[in-house]
Amino acid sequence: MIADCTALILAGGDSSRMGQDKAGLLLDGSTLLQRVTTTMQEVFPKIIVSVRQPRAEVLLQQVCDAEADGGPLAGLVAGLAQVETPWMFAVACDMPFIQSAVIIRMAELRGEHDAVVPMIDGHPQPLFAFYAKQSMSMMRDALASGEKRVRAVLQKLDVRYVDEAELRNCDPQFRSFIDVDTPHDLKAAQELK
């Protein structure tokens, strides 16, 4: 267990490319949200779910975005405002193949940084990342100025980027970073299991 950190599962997106709520989609008998929750429970003592509006089927603590249409950044800000630990691990609910070993490896790299973000195929993965509680004010200010992109805020934080080589032993095929955004992605995920 990573005791100084709370997990935030982001489940409040509009799922526009999927055409329906991604959190409730079934994969191998469980919803995407249930799959991510199960992995988070292996690693973190406390989990919060970021939602657009409260979900009756979710028994964990929920937090709603303070700002409507603020995108994932609003979810991160709302989550950081709720956590009582020095760190928060944020993950999107549409990443059903997360390996807990990847999260544990990333946790080891936190140090004094504001964030720990993996770089996969040359792209940062800000919705599979650790954020220090102290990064909240910078995120909140960016959101208040109209910024909605988490990647834009990363440029203002002290980020420890984690390259693929540092994670390969934990997840050789990088399955942790497979996200289910479209019906095609869901079909591919069903074939993976």
Side-chain angles (χ1 to χ4, degrees):
M1 284 279 176
I2 302 172
D4 65 344
C5 186
T6 301
L8 177 75
I9 303 173
L10 297 159
D14 56 18
S15 304
S16 57
R17 288 185 285 170
M18 182 61 74
Q20 61 180 301
D21 177 30
K22 289 190 285 190
L25 291 175
L26 284 174
L27 179 62
D28 203 22
S30 298
T31 66
L32 295 186
L33 180 56
Q34 288 167 335
R35 288 178 66 103
V36 173
T37 299
T38 298
T39 304
M40 293 305 104
Q41 289 171 330
E42 295 170 6
V43 185
F44 300 103
K46 184 165 184 188
I47 300 163
I48 299 172
V49 181
S50 171
V51 295
R52 191 169 283 189
Q53 56 235 350
R55 294 173 173 263
E57 76 278 11
V58 175
L59 303 178
L60 297 165
Q61 179 183 343
Q62 299 177 54
V63 61
C64 295
D65 296 354
E67 185 172 316
D69 300 323
L73 185 57
L76 292 179
V77 170
L80 283 165
Q82 289 293 312
V83 302
E84 297 171 358
T85 51
W87 286 90
M88 179 180 81
F89 179 76
V91 63
C93 71
D94 65 356
M95 302 177 88
F97 302 110
I98 297 168
Q99 306 293 309
S100 56
V102 173
I103 299 168
I104 292 165
R105 176 66 184 122
M106 288 171 55
E108 295 167 352
L109 303 172
R110 290 177 293 168
E112 299 297 315
H113 302 288
D114 295 324
V116 178
V117 180
M119 290 287 285
I120 304 297
D121 288 332
H123 300 287
Q125 304 293 313
L127 302 185
F128 189 107
F130 282 94
Y131 294 97
K133 177 90 172 171
Q134 68 198 24
S135 66
M136 183 175 68
S137 59
M138 184 79 72
M139 290 187 187
R140 185 179 277 154
D141 291 348
L143 190 61
S145 73
E147 183 59 68
K148 294 181 182 182
R149 297 168 303 133
V150 180
R151 288 183 186 188
V153 178
L154 292 181
Q155 296 171 7
K156 300 176 181 177
L157 298 174
D158 172 12
V159 179
R160 167 57 159 94
Y161 288 102
V162 185
D163 64 37
E164 291 179 12
E166 294 175 278
L167 299 175
R168 186 163 276 118
N169 288 344
C170 306
D171 186 359
Q173 297 173 318
F174 302 114
R175 287 172 52 120
S176 295
F177 302 98
I178 295 171
D179 58 353
V180 180
D181 282 328
T182 66
H184 179 267
D185 293 342
L186 181 61
K187 189 173 188 311
Q190 288 166 337
E191 291 167 8
L192 270 178
K193 290 186 192 176

